[in-house]
Structures are given as C-alpha cells and as structure tokens.
Amino acid sequence: MNAHFDTLETRPPEAREAVLMARLPGFLAHAAAGSAHAARILDGTAPSDITSRAALARLQLTRKSDLIAAQATDPPFAGLNGVAVSQLARIFVSPGPIHEPQGQGVDTFRFARALYATGLRAGDVMQNCFAYHFTPAGFMLEGGARALGCPVIPAGTGNTEAQARVMAHLRPRAYSGTPDFLKTILERADELGLDVSSIRLGHVSGGPYLPALRQFYADRGLTVLQSYATAECGVIAYESEAREGLILDEEVIVEIVRPGTGDPVRDGEVGEVVVTVFDEAYPLIRFATGDLSAILPGASPCGRTNVRIKGWMGRADQAAKVRGLFVRPEMVAELSRRCPGLGRLRLVVSEEGGRDRMLLRAEAAEDAALRERLVAALQDITRLRSEVELVPPGSLPNDGKVVDDTRPAPIPA
C-alpha cells in the first residue's frame, strides 16, 4: 500500500517551487480574463512578469474580512469568480454572509490528499458529519472521499443518538467532522451499548483539536488527524501520521505576512496566512485569511517534502476601538515604514481609572529621539496619543500579535 497519495508529495522542494512559479503567469492571465477582481489586482502588471514569490508579493492582498462589504456592493461574488455563474456547480453561503462559488469537478477543494494522509483508502466507508446546509464543509469532505473511491454517509451535524445508531449499523471505517463531535458520538454509543468499533480513522477540522481530545482518541486506538481549510480556499494544509505540523497542499502557494501588511516575514516568524489557490472557477490571488501561523523548519518525518506550518495560532485581525477610534495592525505597520530599522512592534491597549491607555512597545536600542519620532508618528497615524517604550531586540513574543487589547471584556447585559 502506497504511503503517499502521489509522487508530488515527495519531489525535491526546489522542483516543487519551480513548478509553482512556472504555473503562476498562465494562472494569473486566465484569472484576469475571467475575474473582474483579478483584473483590478493585476492592472498595469503583466502576468508574464509574476514568476517569483518576490514578484507575487508586490500584488495587493484580497482580505477575507473585506468580502462581506464587497459582495454586498457588487453581488454575487464581488467579481472574484473566474467563470460565469451559469458554469458553477454550487454556490455556498457561509456566515457573514460570504458567498463562495464552486466549479465543476469531484474534488475541487482537494481533500483527497488530506484524507489519504489520514489513512482513508478506496472502499472505506466514511461517515461525514460536516454540515451540508448552505456551507461547503460537507461537500468538501465528500468530494475528497469520492475521489478516493470511498462511499460516504452524508450524516451532517447534530442528532447524536441517530449518528451513533447509523455508525453501529453501517459500520463505517472513518469519521469526518469537527474534532469534538466524534467523542460525543462515541460516548453516546457507549451509553446505548452500541458497537461502533468499526471506526478506526477520523479526519477533523473546523475547531480546536486539543491535547486532551487527541489522548482520548489515542486511548481508543483511533487515528484522528486534522487539516486546516477555509470555505474559500479549500485545503491549505493537512496533518500526516508524523503529527509534526501541517503539510501544505500541493495546489496552493502560501505566504506568511506581517499582520496589517502584505510583507512576507522570515521563516519561523508568526504572521498572517496568505494563500494563492490554482482554481480557475475561484482564482484567489494573495487571499489574506485573517489566521495566524508560522513556517516550521525542515521536512516532515513522514517523507512528504512540502513546507509545513504550525497550524492555526489565532487571528490576525486585531482591531481595537480606543476613545471612539479604531486602531488596526496596518497602522502599526505604517510606523515601521516611517521609522525603518525597528524590530517587532506591539501596541498595548489597556484601561486605567476608566480611561483607555495606549502603549507602543518597539524593539530598538534606547534612543530618545527615536522615541519622540514614534510618539509623533503614531499620533499622526491614529489621531490618538500613545506612550512609547523601547525594548531590547528579540524581547517581544513571536506570536503575531500587533494590537494587544488587554481591557476586560464587557459584561453582557
């Protein structure tokens, strides 16, 4: 039995990078021809010139956080679709609402590779407990399983007792759904005296997969691995049996950028996940997910050679309202442009005596003149007065946090 889905997973990293960069110009040209949004992004830039990560990084970001307003102004997709609506297979409605197009094909979200890494093989029955109503998650996992030749039970969410009885009767080998729902089903089956021992595999996403939950499944002898995906991008990265980080999918280009900017950070630095997806129906170019992660060094012990990320590490959209005005990560990033040579920056928002207080902590050698320049620049950018503290280089946490709102949450009415 093959350990890997295909030979793409084990090719030399430099060969993979060369192929991805060679595909970019043609993909961008096709996107610009079919997508009004892509055409705007590339306005004045020839797709044939985008043959490197450095060139790609010069294109503007498409922020997930902007899609709700953009689609409300320019329905249905704000011009992001690369083919006509009549050529789509499905149109999804995710919370927000955000509307996502799906092109024709069985596994357009590319889940077969991730499911194969979990251990799913042709003929295995999978009980799919992701939602099928409006949102794409159920279809994402079903498409991957069908591409592998696996029958799917479209169980959807909820109704724990029915899920347990179906599992006992149909004897699926695999579960897909949120990390904690499988535990709920198994415990209900135990209460009912049902035999659900056919379940040996689980592929989970859409929520935190905590150590205690991992141990619960391990104690039952189950292999339960996770993937990182979004409704727009499909699979971005997935876990293998090595359980050391998440391995990037072969059909995406991932950048980790400084929150509030489109500037790539050094490997190992925490930043926002930005994804370019080779999907002709939904050609996302530098799509800023709003999620934080970081590149892990080296390759996975499982033999897959693609880049690994740490997984989900929080949110990059860290706006805070201070004295009636919003401060955002991009405002802090503007400080770096105005005062080059700074290390990490963190704008700490706190409350003292019922009044909002801002303190900018900046990695730099002690310099009174620099501190005054930062005070003035920050007030000019935010229209708010802030104190500035210079701290030793390397002393701020590598967690991607730029705006740190430490004020207590309001008590619900």
Side-chain angles (χ1 to χ4, degrees), residues 23 40 60 69 90 92 135 137 182 202 246 276 285 292 296 324 333 336 338 353-354 368 374 410 412:
R23 290 179 64 183
R40 287 192 294 270
Q60 72 179 65
R90 296 183 181 90
F92 298 107
T135 59
L182 175 58
L246 303 182
T276 297
I285 302 167
L292 294 174
L296 285 173
S336 292
R338 295 194 186 189
L374 287 170

Side-chain angles (χ1 to χ4, degrees), residues 88-156:
L88 299 173
R90 296 183 181 90
I91 299 172
F92 298 107
V93 184
S94 292
I98 295 175
H99 303 83
E100 298 106 359
Q102 181 190 6
Q104 302 289 338
V106 174
D107 188 22
T108 57
F109 297 103
R110 310 172 314 283
F111 257 94
R113 185 181 304 281
L115 290 172
Y116 194 92
T118 298
L120 209 67
R121 297 296 183 268
D124 289 341
V125 177
M126 185 179 83
Q127 186 160 330
N128 186 15
C129 297
F130 278 110
Y132 282 83
H133 183 64
F134 277 126
T135 59
F139 295 96
M140 286 181 170
L141 274 294
E142 177 162 321
R146 294 298 303 124
L148 291 177
C150 298
V152 175
I153 304 167

Side-chain angles (χ1 to χ4, degrees), residues 101-349:
Q102 181 190 6
Q104 302 289 338
V106 174
D107 188 22
T108 57
F109 297 103
R110 310 172 314 283
F111 257 94
R113 185 181 304 281
L115 290 172
Y116 194 92
T118 298
L120 209 67
R121 297 296 183 268
D124 289 341
V125 177
M126 185 179 83
Q127 186 160 330
N128 186 15
C129 297
F130 278 110
Y132 282 83
H133 183 64
F134 277 126
T135 59
F139 295 96
M140 286 181 170
L141 274 294
E142 177 162 321
R146 294 298 303 124
L148 291 177
C150 298
V152 175
I153 304 167
T157 59
N159 203 337
T160 306
E161 181 171 333
Q163 297 274 5
R165 292 192 181 280
V166 164
M167 194 173 282
H169 182 76
L170 295 179
R171 310 294 292 166
R173 183 165 184 260
Y175 159 93
S176 59
T178 54
D180 55 346
F181 191 42
L182 175 58
K183 179 175 185 287
T184 302
I185 296 172
L186 295 176
E187 290 177 332
R188 184 60 175 149
D190 291 344
E191 293 171 2
L192 296 169
L194 299 173
D195 178 8
V196 292
S197 60
S198 65
I199 289 288
R200 309 312 305 155
L201 305 172
H203 188 90
V204 300
S205 193
Y209 189 18
L210 302 174
L213 196 54
R214 283 185 180 272
Q215 190 59 53
F216 174 86
Y217 295 137
D219 289 345
R220 295 183 74 120
L222 306 183
T223 297
V224 180
L225 304 179
Q226 66 177 323
S227 60
Y228 166 47
T230 72
E232 301 79 17
C233 301
V235 169
I236 297 171
Y238 61 92
E239 191 174 24
S240 75
E241 68 272 16
R243 295 176 173 83
E244 294 188 12
L246 303 182
I247 302 162
L248 296 187
D249 181 63
E250 298 291 333
E251 294 293 314
V252 299
I253 297 173
V254 169
E255 305 166 82
I256 306 294
V257 307
R258 195 169 306 286
T261 78
D263 303 330
V265 299
R266 299 186 308 271
D267 286 357
E269 186 93 0
V270 177
E272 184 175 7
V273 178
V274 169
V275 189
T276 297
V277 184
F278 291 100
D279 182 344
E280 293 187 353
Y282 198 12
L284 296 175
I285 302 167
R286 303 204 77 209
F287 184 75
T289 63
D291 295 327
L292 294 174
S293 194
I295 300 292
L296 285 173
S300 172
C302 70
R304 294 172 176 86
T305 58
N306 208 344
V307 172
R308 297 174 298 158
I309 60 175
K310 288 187 177 180
W312 189 84
M313 299 178 68
R315 294 292 295 169
D317 42 0
Q318 303 159 20
K321 198 169 190 179
V322 182
R323 301 170 214 152
L325 298 174
F326 278 103
V327 291
R328 304 179 187 277
E330 52 265 36
M331 295 177 171
V332 180
E334 176 63 20
L335 283 176
S336 292
R337 285 188 279 272
R338 295 194 186 189
C339 302
L342 298 172
R344 295 191 185 104
L345 301 175
R346 178 171 298 212
L347 187 62
V348 181
V349 180

Side-chain angles (χ1 to χ4, degrees), residues 345-367:
L345 301 175
R346 178 171 298 212
L347 187 62
V348 181
V349 180
S350 60
E351 182 183 1
E352 289 186 3
R355 293 178 59 83
D356 292 336
R357 175 176 179 258
M358 289 201 317
L359 170 66
L360 176 72
R361 306 187 73 209
E363 292 184 349
E366 184 58 42
D367 183 332

